[in-house]
């Protein structure tokens, strides 16, 4: 006999979930693998792990990590301000945070390029010191920071809001200074959410295309991101080559996200809630 | 340690939270701040702790002015209503927190901290739960962890904000008795906030009854219950019946008829208060209060009689012995015992 459950419909909803996930995520992804498998191992390595592709992976993953790290720090700061303080124009700031979500990425890319190019508003200030941002890997990082910011802010914000004042007051009443309170009480409490935001920002950065290609300059081995390399292959009608690069990216992304997830599980278990 | 508050004022915007509060707690005393929500009792406690600062007035610990000191500098133990435990730390880590954050020179060695934590765990009867996380504990256990954590830093004063507020009735009663024992054993000056009169009367050496940011009465539980200083206190510290009366020339009139109740107090509109267990049903209705019985329910050794006062349509409740229980629907004559009469000044909540 089957035991009655309080929450019914597991079979139905689970079936739907799997079907939906398969249609939307798994089948397209397996198509990538099948397509690239037709290439044969040698050709796969030759394209997927060519020096040019490796340089592109390094840039894509490196810049995404760097941008996600920067976002983790400053996104936390923005979330902190939005949660803890009331100030005039708070709603506007709040809405501004979401703008990178909504803005067509190409628009962001063009705007950033105009700003940071050698003759742009910011670029011309830095040019005399020999600092170039547009058309360098640094420009890629800037674009990815722009794209990733809301992920961190919106992940951390609710958790920070949920964290009661009394916990901080308790720490203070026990003699802890402000830094100790942050470091030992607040930060560990928001770390899982911060990691989530970091992972989302990172994942978005790896897959980002539109905003990056304008500011990157796309020089092979220097400022060419992996998604662009895929497009380049496609434009040469080399579909198998494109899927080979995509496969490598997929595997690498999957492993990195798995690692970040494990980190989250670990830190969440310490919260034991 | 003794604590003295002198002329404390506190406003939040246009709202006066505390108006000119002066209060003293003797060393080793267990004091209750009792009042309805919005009476300013929690604000007062937070001012003692240094979590809030008064607009005017002074806070003195053992005669020393600490008004300007922050909570971290005052060395008080504070127990929060919702425990405020650090969720990512084990019970032992929670208790050790106050010792671990000390500057290196004043910090005890790791072994000493561990020993102190175990000692406190035993004190709050959670000896074997040191490695659990707060989420794995019951409400009562969490509150005891919060208490152990506050005691770990050897505070001079223990402040508890509605310490049993979030617990269910049974746990609350057990924990209450346990806290009283703990206080007697540790001998720390302790002040707790509550809106539960039963808790205040059962636990405290003295009760401070507050309303609308002022102190209504400071006295022992017996005194507060038997000789309330105001209508508000009478109403708040126990069950009460309230009847509008007139005082004229030392006599009491209810609906124009004289009441057979001894009276002291100035002439004018007043209110007569008496407790349900102080009333009697009398045969002779001269000088008594006529009332209609609506419901009779068992209560303790006797019964609780509820109904309406005839003529003013106000509810009443009295406790009488089982063999005196009237039939519902009957009209009875009430005679209040141990009545208190307060002139009508302002409207009482509730």
């Amino acid at each position: 006999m089957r035991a009655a459950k309080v929450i019914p419909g597991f079979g139905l909803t689970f079936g739907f979930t799997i079907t939906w996930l398969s249609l939307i995520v798994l089948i397209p992804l397996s198509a990538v693998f099948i397509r690239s498998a037709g290439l044969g191992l040698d050709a796969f390595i030759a394209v997927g792990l060519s020096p040019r592709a490796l340089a592109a992976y390094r840039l894509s993953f490196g810049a995404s990590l760097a941008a996600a790290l920067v976002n983790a720090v400053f996104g936390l700061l923005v979330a902190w301000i939005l949660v803890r303080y009331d100030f005039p124009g708070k709603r506007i700031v709040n809405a501004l945070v979401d703008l990178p979500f909504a803005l067509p990425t190409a628009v962001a890319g063009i705007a950033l390029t105009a700003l940071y190019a050698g003759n742009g508003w910011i670029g011309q200030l830095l040019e005399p010191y020999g600092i170039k941002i547009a058309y360098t890997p640094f420009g890629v990082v800037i674009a990815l920071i722009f794209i990733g910011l809301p992920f961190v802010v919106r992940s951390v914000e609710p958790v920070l809001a949920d964290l009661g004042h009394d916990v901080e007051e308790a720490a203070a009443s026990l003699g802890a200074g402000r830094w100790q309170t942050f470091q030992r009480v607040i930060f560990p409490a928001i770390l899982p959410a911060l990691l989530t935001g970091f992972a989302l920002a990172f994942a978005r950065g790896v897959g980002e295309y539109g905003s990056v290609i304008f500011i990157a300059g796309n020089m092979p081995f220097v400022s060419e991101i992996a998604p662009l390399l895929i497009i380049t292959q496609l434009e040469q009608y080399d579909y198998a080559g494109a899927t080979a690069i995509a496969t490598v990216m997929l595997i690498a992304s999957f492993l990195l996200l798995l690692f970040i997830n494990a980190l989250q599980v670990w830190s969440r278990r310490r919260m034991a809630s | 340690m003794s604590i003295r508050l002198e002329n404390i004022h506190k406003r939040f915007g246009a709202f006066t939270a505390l108006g000119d509060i002066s209060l003293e707690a003797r060393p080793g005393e267990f004091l209750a701040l009792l009042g309805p929500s919005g009476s300013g009792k929690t604000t007062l406690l937070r001012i003692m702790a240094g979590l809030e600062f008064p607009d005017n007035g002074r806070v003195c610990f053992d005669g020393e002015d600490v008004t300007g000191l922050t909570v971290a500098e005052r060395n008080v133990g504070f127990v929060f209503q919702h425990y405020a435990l650090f969720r990512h730390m084990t019970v032992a880590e929670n208790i050790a927190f106050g010792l671990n954050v000390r500057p290196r020179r004043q910090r005890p060695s790791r072994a000493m901290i561990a020993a102190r934590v175990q000692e406190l765990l035993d004190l709050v009867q959670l000896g074997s739960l040191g490695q659990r996380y707060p989420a794995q504990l019951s409400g009562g256990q969490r509150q005891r962890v919060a208490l152990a954590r506050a005691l770990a830093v050897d505070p001079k004063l223990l402040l508890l904000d509605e310490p049993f507020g979030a617990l269910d009735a049974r746990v609350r009663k057990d924990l209450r008795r346990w806290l009283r024992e703990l206080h007697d054993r540790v001998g720390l000056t302790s002040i707790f906030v509550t809106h539960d009169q039963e808790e205040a009367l059962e636990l405290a050496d003295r009760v401070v009854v507050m309303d609308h940011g002022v102190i209504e009465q400071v006295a022992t539980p017996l005194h507060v219950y038997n000789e309330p200083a105001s209508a508000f206190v009478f109403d708040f510290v126990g069950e009460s019946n309230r009847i509008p009366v007139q005082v004229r020339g030392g006599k009491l009139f209810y609906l124009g008829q004289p009441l057979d109740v001894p009276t002291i107090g100035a002439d004018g509109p007043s209110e007569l208060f008496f407790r349900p267990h102080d009333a009697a049903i009398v045969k002779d209705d001269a000088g008594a209060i006529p009332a209609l019985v609506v419901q009779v329910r068992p209560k303790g050794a006797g019964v609780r009689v509820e109904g309406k006062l005839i003529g003013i349509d106000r509810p009443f409740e009295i406790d009488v012995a089982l063999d005196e229980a009237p039939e519902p629907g009957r009209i009875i004559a009430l005679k209040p015992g141990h009545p208190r009469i307060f002139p009508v000044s302002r409207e009482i909540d509730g």
Side-chain angles (χ1 to χ4, degrees):
Chain A
M1 202 184 88
R2 282 172 56 181
K5 292 239 176 66
V6 177
I7 301 171
F10 172 75
L12 190 65
T13 50
F14 190 70
F16 256 119
T17 308
I18 292 297
T19 313
W20 187 249
L21 265 180
S22 304
L23 274 175
I24 298 294
V25 180
L26 290 179
I27 293 176
L29 286 189
S30 44
V32 171
F33 280 93
I34 292 162
R35 200 64 203 249
S36 66
L39 207 57
L41 190 64
D42 288 344
F44 180 88
I45 290 174
V47 181
L49 300 176
S50 70
R52 187 173 167 189
L54 285 178
Y57 301 142
R58 211 174 303 134
L59 177 65
S60 267
F61 286 105
S64 299
L65 269 178
L69 277 174
V70 171
N71 274 330
V73 174
F74 288 95
L76 173 59
L77 208 64
V78 172
W80 181 272
I81 302 284
L82 284 177
V83 169
R84 309 282 298 234
Y85 304 103
D86 273 320
F87 50 90
K90 181 171 170 172
R91 279 159 193 267
I92 295 173
V93 173
N94 210 345
L96 277 178
V97 169
D98 285 331
L99 220 50
F101 273 148
L103 205 64
T105 51
V107 176
I110 291 165
L112 287 172
T113 311
L115 275 180
Y116 287 101
N119 54 1
W121 286 352
I122 298 176
Q124 67 181 351
L125 298 178
L126 298 173
E127 188 92 346
Y129 304 101
I131 302 170
K132 282 188 178 158
I133 291 177
Y135 317 126
T136 68
F138 198 48
V140 178
V141 176
I142 296 274
L144 295 184
I145 290 174
F146 176 82
I147 288 302
L149 180 72
F151 291 95
V152 175
V153 177
R154 294 299 178 225
S155 304
V156 174
E157 217 181 338
V159 180
L160 202 56
D162 204 34
L163 193 71
H165 268 293
D166 57 352
V167 185
E168 279 169 64
E169 289 180 343
S173 79
L174 293 164
R178 277 165 196 253
W179 173 243
Q180 282 174 317
T181 303
F182 178 77
Q183 179 201 348
R184 287 167 181 259
V185 175
I186 300 173
F187 189 71
I190 55 175
L191 185 61
L194 191 62
L195 279 173
T196 304
F198 177 83
L200 288 172
F202 169 75
R204 176 69 205 266
V206 170
E208 179 58 17
Y209 175 75
S211 63
V212 175
I213 49 161
F214 290 101
I215 199 169
N218 309 325
M219 275 176 288
F221 297 100
V222 179
S223 58
E224 184 180 51
I225 55 169
L228 180 76
L229 201 55
I230 294 173
I231 298 281
T232 314
Q233 304 292 328
L234 288 179
E235 280 170 347
Q236 294 163 7
Y237 301 104
D238 182 2
Y239 294 122
T243 51
I245 298 169
T247 304
V248 176
M249 279 200 78
L250 259 176
I251 293 171
S253 302
F254 183 73
L255 288 178
L256 274 164
L257 288 174
L258 201 65
F259 171 73
I260 296 173
N261 256 325
L263 213 62
Q264 261 175 283
V265 169
W266 170 79
S267 67
R268 211 158 257 157
R269 191 155 47 214
R270 281 169 49 97
M271 302 280 291
S273 60
Chain B
M1 194 199 67
S2 74
I3 172 168
R4 195 171 72 243
L5 304 175
E6 297 172 1
N7 309 100
I8 299 286
H9 288 262
K10 179 72 182 175
R11 301 172 68 84
F12 295 112
F15 174 71
T16 303
L18 294 171
D20 199 27
I21 298 274
S22 294
L23 181 67
E24 189 161 2
R26 295 185 277 267
E29 196 172 28
F30 204 178
L31 210 62
L33 302 181
L34 174 68
S37 54
S39 61
K41 54 193 193 305
T42 295
T43 305
L44 190 62
L45 193 80
R46 289 171 62 83
I47 284 176
M48 294 183 200
L51 291 169
E52 210 85 67
F53 294 94
D55 300 332
N56 282 113
R58 299 201 316 156
V59 181
C60 297
F61 288 178
D62 272 337
E64 189 190 331
D65 191 341
V66 296
T67 317
L69 298 187
T70 64
V71 64
E73 295 161 331
R74 283 194 198 182
N75 193 21
V76 296
F78 201 98
V79 176
F80 294 83
Q81 182 178 1
H82 299 290
Y83 328 121
L85 293 178
F86 308 133
R87 286 190 296 159
H88 60 284
M89 296 184 200
T90 62
V91 167
E93 286 167 347
N94 262 285
I95 297 174
F97 183 85
L99 300 172
N100 279 329
V101 295
R102 285 190 183 167
R104 188 154 294 149
R105 284 195 177 161
Q106 297 161 33
R107 197 187 309 158
S109 72
R110 207 170 271 195
M112 280 167 74
I113 292 180
R116 178 84 178 121
V117 167
Q118 193 52 52
E119 187 190 326
L120 283 160
L121 278 171
D122 292 337
L123 183 74
V124 299
Q125 297 163 355
L126 294 172
S128 57
L129 301 183
Q131 294 316 306
R132 295 263 187 101
Y133 283 92
Q136 299 166 307
L137 302 180
S138 73
Q141 289 172 328
R142 286 184 212 177
Q143 192 58 291
R144 281 185 281 163
V145 174
L147 197 62
R149 183 180 67 176
L151 291 174
V153 292
D154 288 314
K156 295 180 284 183
L157 179 68
L158 186 60
L159 303 170
L160 308 108
D161 184 12
E162 301 258 7
F164 315 109
L167 302 171
D168 61 63
R170 241 197 104 84
V171 180
R172 185 187 275 221
K173 215 166 167 74
D174 288 347
L175 205 57
R176 211 191 275 169
R177 191 169 309 132
W178 173 83
L179 181 65
R180 179 71 227 192
E181 282 167 21
L182 186 79
H183 174 265
D184 293 343
R185 195 145 24 115
V186 180
L188 209 56
T189 310
S190 310
I191 299 171
F192 74 102
V193 156
T194 181
H195 61 264
D196 181 346
Q197 36 83 19
E198 204 184 307
E199 201 164 281
L201 299 184
E202 188 182 314
L203 216 51
D205 294 326
R206 283 195 301 155
V207 179
V208 180
V209 188
M210 296 182 66
D211 186 35
H212 290 107
V214 296
I215 292 178
E216 294 272 334
Q217 188 171 17
V218 184
T220 62
L222 261 180
H223 199 96
V224 163
Y225 189 79
N226 290 325
E227 284 161 73
S230 66
F232 171 79
V233 177
F234 197 108
D235 206 44
F236 197 74
V237 298
E239 292 177 308
S240 65
N241 292 292
R242 241 166 85 190
I243 292 164
V245 291
Q246 285 279 341
V247 178
R248 264 197 311 260
K251 279 215 159 72
L252 211 57
F253 292 88
Y254 169 64
L255 297 175
Q257 302 297 315
L259 269 191
D260 183 15
V261 168
T263 308
I264 36 166
D267 284 7
S270 300
E271 278 189 309
L272 171 78
F273 285 78
F274 62 95
R275 303 246 183 252
H277 54 77
D278 280 335
I281 299 174
V282 291
K283 293 227 166 61
D284 179 14
D285 56 6
I289 302 164
L292 172 70
V293 178
V294 174
Q295 202 177 37
V296 180
R297 289 182 293 131
K299 175 142 199 282
V303 291
R304 155 90 23 130
V305 180
E306 287 174 25
K308 283 207 160 113
L309 297 176
I310 288 166
I312 58 169
D313 206 33
R314 240 194 226 195
F316 75 93
E317 39 189 29
I318 61 167
D319 296 336
V320 295
L322 193 58
D323 53 1
E324 289 175 37
E327 294 285 310
R330 248 190 64 192
I331 289 174
I332 54 171
L334 280 184
K335 191 165 181 228
H338 296 113
R340 306 273 302 179
I341 294 140
F342 299 103
V344 174
S345 47
R346 68 177 155 147
E347 199 42 46
I348 305 160
D349 306 30

